[in-house]
Protein backbone atom coordinates (compact mmCIF):
# COMPACT_ATOMS: atom_id res chain seq x y z
CA UNK A 1 0.00 0.00 0.00
CA UNK A 2 0.84 3.72 0.15
CA UNK A 3 1.11 4.46 -3.54
CA UNK A 4 1.28 7.99 -4.86
CA UNK A 5 0.83 8.69 -8.54
CA UNK A 6 1.51 11.76 -10.62
CA UNK A 7 0.08 12.72 -13.96
CA UNK A 8 1.44 13.43 -16.42
CA UNK A 9 4.86 11.87 -16.10
CA UNK A 10 6.24 14.15 -18.80
CA UNK A 11 4.88 17.31 -20.36
CA UNK A 12 6.23 19.70 -22.93
CA UNK A 13 4.55 23.05 -23.35
CA UNK A 14 5.08 26.36 -25.04
CA UNK A 15 6.20 29.40 -23.15
CA UNK A 16 3.24 31.36 -21.80
CA UNK A 17 0.89 28.43 -21.42
CA UNK A 18 -0.27 26.82 -18.18
CA UNK A 19 0.30 23.24 -17.11
CA UNK A 20 -1.52 21.24 -14.45
CA UNK A 21 0.14 18.40 -12.60
CA UNK A 22 -1.91 15.99 -10.52
CA UNK A 23 -0.77 14.14 -7.43
CA UNK A 24 -2.97 11.32 -6.17
CA UNK A 25 -2.74 9.03 -3.19
CA UNK A 26 -4.15 5.81 -4.61
CA UNK A 27 -4.77 3.67 -1.57
CA UNK A 28 -4.80 6.04 1.36
CA UNK A 29 -6.10 9.41 2.39
CA UNK A 30 -3.64 12.23 2.73
CA UNK A 31 -4.44 15.30 4.74
CA UNK A 32 -1.10 16.82 3.79
CA UNK A 33 0.75 16.73 0.52
CA UNK A 34 4.03 18.39 -0.32
CA UNK A 35 5.32 19.70 -3.61
CA UNK A 36 9.03 19.64 -4.34
CA UNK A 37 11.06 20.84 -7.26
CA UNK A 38 14.27 19.17 -8.36
CA UNK A 39 16.74 20.78 -10.71
CA UNK A 40 19.07 18.57 -12.76
CA UNK A 41 21.59 16.83 -10.56
CA UNK A 42 20.37 18.85 -7.59
CA UNK A 43 18.47 18.14 -4.46
CA UNK A 44 14.77 18.51 -3.84
CA UNK A 45 13.55 21.89 -2.78
CA UNK A 46 10.26 22.19 -0.95
CA UNK A 47 7.89 24.50 -2.80
CA UNK A 48 4.75 24.31 -0.73
CA UNK A 49 2.73 22.33 1.75
CA UNK A 50 -0.78 21.50 0.68
CA UNK A 51 -3.48 20.79 3.23
CA UNK A 52 -6.85 19.43 2.24
CA UNK A 53 -9.52 22.09 2.27
CA UNK A 54 -7.24 25.01 3.01
CA UNK A 55 -4.78 27.27 1.26
CA UNK A 56 -1.33 25.97 0.60
CA UNK A 57 1.64 27.25 2.54
CA UNK A 58 4.42 28.36 0.24
CA UNK A 59 8.11 28.44 0.97
CA UNK A 60 9.96 31.69 0.82
CA UNK A 61 10.79 32.66 -2.73
CA UNK A 62 8.08 30.55 -4.34
CA UNK A 63 5.53 32.64 -6.22
CA UNK A 64 2.10 31.51 -5.14
CA UNK A 65 0.44 33.20 -8.10
CA UNK A 66 2.65 31.31 -10.49
CA UNK A 67 2.49 27.93 -8.82
CA UNK A 68 -1.15 27.40 -7.95
CA UNK A 69 -1.84 24.54 -5.59
CA UNK A 70 -5.23 23.05 -4.92
CA UNK A 71 -5.94 20.23 -2.49
CA UNK A 72 -9.61 19.64 -3.04
CA UNK A 73 -9.88 16.15 -1.63
CA UNK A 74 -8.03 13.76 0.64
CA UNK A 75 -6.57 11.96 -2.34
CA UNK A 76 -5.80 14.70 -4.84
CA UNK A 77 -3.59 17.75 -4.96
CA UNK A 78 -2.84 19.70 -8.11
CA UNK A 79 -0.02 22.03 -9.04
CA UNK A 80 -0.65 24.44 -11.89
CA UNK A 81 2.30 26.24 -13.38
CA UNK A 82 0.82 29.40 -14.87
CA UNK A 83 2.34 31.31 -17.76
CA UNK A 84 5.21 28.88 -17.87
CA UNK A 85 8.67 30.00 -18.94
CA UNK A 86 11.74 27.97 -19.84
CA UNK A 87 13.21 28.55 -16.38
CA UNK A 88 10.24 26.65 -14.94
CA UNK A 89 11.48 23.52 -16.66
CA UNK A 90 12.21 21.06 -13.91
CA UNK A 91 11.27 17.79 -12.26
CA UNK A 92 8.30 18.26 -9.94
CA UNK A 93 7.71 15.67 -7.25
CA UNK A 94 4.87 15.40 -4.79
CA UNK A 95 4.66 13.46 -1.56
CA UNK A 96 1.88 12.61 0.81
CA UNK A 97 1.47 11.76 4.45
CA UNK A 98 -1.05 9.11 5.31
CA UNK A 99 -3.95 10.48 7.33
CA UNK A 100 -3.48 9.36 10.92
CA UNK A 101 -0.48 7.37 9.84
CA UNK A 102 3.21 7.31 10.48
CA UNK A 103 5.92 9.83 9.83
CA UNK A 104 6.75 8.44 6.43
CA UNK A 105 6.18 10.52 3.35
CA UNK A 106 5.31 8.62 0.22
CA UNK A 107 6.63 10.12 -2.97
CA UNK A 108 5.16 10.21 -6.40
CA UNK A 109 7.25 9.26 -9.44
CA UNK A 110 7.65 12.88 -10.51
CA UNK A 111 6.66 14.96 -13.51
CA UNK A 112 9.23 16.22 -15.98
CA UNK A 113 8.18 19.65 -17.26
CA UNK A 114 9.89 21.13 -20.29
CA UNK A 115 8.92 24.62 -21.37
CA UNK A 116 9.98 25.58 -24.87
CA UNK B 1 15.65 24.80 11.65
CA UNK B 2 16.79 21.48 10.29
CA UNK B 3 19.36 20.77 7.64
CA UNK B 4 21.56 17.94 6.43
CA UNK B 5 24.94 17.85 4.78
CA UNK B 6 25.97 14.96 2.62
CA UNK B 7 29.70 14.62 2.29
CA UNK B 8 30.75 13.63 -1.18
CA UNK B 9 28.55 14.31 -4.17
CA UNK B 10 29.95 11.22 -5.88
CA UNK B 11 31.02 7.92 -4.37
CA UNK B 12 32.45 5.05 -6.38
CA UNK B 13 32.81 1.52 -5.03
CA UNK B 14 33.59 -1.85 -6.51
CA UNK B 15 30.93 -4.51 -6.65
CA UNK B 16 31.06 -6.42 -3.39
CA UNK B 17 32.75 -3.62 -1.47
CA UNK B 18 31.41 -1.73 1.50
CA UNK B 19 29.15 1.20 0.78
CA UNK B 20 29.40 4.20 3.10
CA UNK B 21 27.43 7.36 2.38
CA UNK B 22 27.85 10.15 4.89
CA UNK B 23 25.19 12.42 6.29
CA UNK B 24 25.46 14.96 9.08
CA UNK B 25 22.48 16.83 10.37
CA UNK B 26 21.71 20.02 12.20
CA UNK B 27 18.53 20.27 14.20
CA UNK B 28 17.23 22.36 17.05
CA UNK B 29 14.91 19.54 18.11
CA UNK B 30 15.25 15.76 18.15
CA UNK B 31 15.38 14.95 14.47
CA UNK B 32 13.51 12.53 12.29
CA UNK B 33 16.08 11.25 9.80
CA UNK B 34 15.56 9.51 6.48
CA UNK B 35 17.49 8.02 3.60
CA UNK B 36 15.88 7.91 0.18
CA UNK B 37 17.10 6.43 -3.11
CA UNK B 38 16.28 7.81 -6.52
CA UNK B 39 16.81 5.99 -9.77
CA UNK B 40 17.05 8.01 -13.01
CA UNK B 41 13.87 9.84 -13.89
CA UNK B 42 12.00 8.29 -11.01
CA UNK B 43 10.64 9.45 -7.70
CA UNK B 44 12.09 8.71 -4.31
CA UNK B 45 11.95 5.42 -2.50
CA UNK B 46 12.37 5.25 1.25
CA UNK B 47 15.35 3.14 2.30
CA UNK B 48 15.06 3.61 6.05
CA UNK B 49 14.20 6.09 8.74
CA UNK B 50 15.03 6.96 12.32
CA UNK B 51 12.47 8.51 14.60
CA UNK B 52 13.04 7.26 18.13
CA UNK B 53 14.30 4.15 19.83
CA UNK B 54 17.04 1.92 18.49
CA UNK B 55 19.80 3.95 16.92
CA UNK B 56 20.80 1.29 14.40
CA UNK B 57 18.14 1.21 11.75
CA UNK B 58 17.84 -1.48 9.12
CA UNK B 59 16.22 -0.74 5.82
CA UNK B 60 15.46 -2.33 2.51
CA UNK B 61 17.98 -3.84 0.10
CA UNK B 62 20.48 -4.57 2.87
CA UNK B 63 21.07 -0.95 3.85
CA UNK B 64 21.35 0.27 7.40
CA UNK B 65 22.16 3.51 9.15
CA UNK B 66 23.15 4.47 12.65
CA UNK B 67 21.96 7.57 14.43
CA UNK B 68 24.80 9.05 16.43
CA UNK B 69 23.66 12.04 18.40
CA UNK B 70 27.13 12.88 19.69
CA UNK B 71 28.40 13.11 16.14
CA UNK B 72 25.16 14.49 14.65
CA UNK B 73 25.49 11.83 12.00
CA UNK B 74 23.29 9.34 10.20
CA UNK B 75 25.59 7.53 7.79
CA UNK B 76 24.23 4.93 5.41
CA UNK B 77 26.05 1.63 4.96
CA UNK B 78 25.75 -1.61 3.08
CA UNK B 79 28.26 -4.44 3.55
CA UNK B 80 28.42 -5.49 -0.09
CA UNK B 81 27.53 -3.32 -3.04
CA UNK B 82 25.54 -4.62 -5.98
CA UNK B 83 25.45 -3.13 -9.45
CA UNK B 84 21.78 -2.40 -8.91
CA UNK B 85 22.66 -0.07 -6.02
CA UNK B 86 23.92 2.55 -8.45
CA UNK B 87 21.61 5.52 -7.92
CA UNK B 88 21.25 8.89 -6.24
CA UNK B 89 20.91 8.79 -2.47
CA UNK B 90 19.37 11.54 -0.40
CA UNK B 91 19.54 12.09 3.31
CA UNK B 92 16.68 14.10 4.77
CA UNK B 93 15.59 15.51 8.10
CA UNK B 94 12.33 16.76 9.53
CA UNK B 95 11.37 18.26 12.83
CA UNK B 96 8.41 16.06 13.49
CA UNK B 97 6.04 13.52 12.10
CA UNK B 98 4.15 14.83 9.10
CA UNK B 99 6.45 17.77 8.52
CA UNK B 100 8.12 18.57 5.23
CA UNK B 101 11.56 17.14 4.63
CA UNK B 102 14.78 19.06 4.23
CA UNK B 103 17.01 17.18 1.84
CA UNK B 104 20.72 17.03 1.46
CA UNK B 105 22.24 17.64 -1.95
CA UNK B 106 22.46 13.98 -2.69
CA UNK B 107 25.24 11.50 -3.30
CA UNK B 108 25.56 9.70 -6.57
CA UNK B 109 26.72 6.13 -6.01
CA UNK B 110 28.60 4.41 -8.81
CA UNK B 111 29.25 0.69 -8.58
CA UNK B 112 31.98 -0.68 -10.80
CA UNK B 113 32.44 -4.33 -11.79
Amino acid sequence: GAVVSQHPSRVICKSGTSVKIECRSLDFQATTMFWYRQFPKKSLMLMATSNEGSKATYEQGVEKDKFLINHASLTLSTLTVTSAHPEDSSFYICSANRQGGTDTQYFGPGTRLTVL
Amino acid sequence: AQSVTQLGSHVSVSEGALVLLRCNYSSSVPPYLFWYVQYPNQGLQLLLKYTTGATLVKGINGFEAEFKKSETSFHLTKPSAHMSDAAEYFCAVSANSGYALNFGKGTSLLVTP
Side-chain angles (χ1 to χ4, degrees):
Chain A
V3 177
V4 176
S5 70
Q6 282 184 240
H7 178 78
S9 57
R10 292 176 179 269
V11 57
I12 301 173
C13 69
K14 293 182 178 180
S15 185
T17 61
S18 295
V19 174
K20 179 184 285 187
I21 302 170
E22 293 185 348
C23 176
R24 292 181 184 273
S25 55
L26 297 183
D27 51 2
F28 66 99
Q29 293 184 325
T31 49
T32 304
M33 290 183 172
F34 303 93
W35 286 95
Y36 296 85
R37 181 173 179 176
Q38 185 178 30
F39 293 96
K41 301 191 181 299
K42 296 288 186 181
S43 186
L44 284 78
M45 301 297 294
L46 178 67
M47 298 176 66
T49 301
S50 169
N51 292 298
E52 185 266 338
S54 63
K55 291 183 178 180
T57 302
Y58 290 82
E59 294 300 298
Q60 189 174 7
V62 178
E63 299 176 60
K64 62 180 180 180
D65 294 331
K66 180 169 186 62
F67 298 100
L68 300 178
I69 292 173
N70 184 281
H71 194 159
S73 77
L74 288 173
T75 60
L76 173 65
S77 176
T78 61
L79 167 66
T80 301
V81 183
T82 63
S83 186
H85 289 105
E87 56 265 32
D88 298 325
S89 298
S90 194
F91 196 50
Y92 293 89
I93 302 177
C94 72
S95 69
N97 279 348
R98 188 196 300 262
Q99 183 184 33
T102 69
D103 35 66
T104 299
Q105 284 188 29
Y106 299 95
F107 283 81
T111 296
R112 174 75 61 193
L113 171 63
T114 302
V115 184
L116 303 177
Chain B
Q2 291 73 39
S3 66
V4 294
T5 301
Q6 291 184 241
L7 300 176
S9 58
H10 293 81
V11 170
S12 181
V13 300
S14 299
E15 190 174 18
L18 171 72
V19 175
L20 171 60
L21 305 182
R22 299 178 186 274
C23 173
N24 288 89
Y25 71 90
S26 174
S27 180
S28 54
V29 297
Y32 286 57
L33 293 160
F34 306 80
W35 274 100
Y36 285 86
V37 61
Q38 184 181 34
Y39 297 99
N41 295 312
Q42 294 186 25
L44 277 71
Q45 181 180 8
L46 179 68
L47 282 175
L48 47 80
K49 64 180 178 182
Y50 169 80
T51 55
T52 59
T55 56
L56 181 62
V57 181
K58 295 185 183 299
I60 62 171
N61 301 339
F63 285 94
E64 62 181 38
E66 186 171 11
F67 171 64
K68 292 187 176 181
K69 184 178 179 179
S70 62
E71 300 178 6
T72 61
S73 70
F74 191 58
H75 302 330
L76 182 70
T77 61
K78 181 174 181 178
S80 177
H82 293 168
M83 298 297 290
S84 59
D85 293 328
E88 191 81 16
Y89 291 80
F90 292 96
C91 181
V93 63
S94 70
N96 208 333
S97 173
Y99 281 35
L101 300 177
N102 290 314
F103 286 88
K105 293 186 176 181
T107 297
S108 181
L109 176 65
L110 175 65
V111 181
T112 58

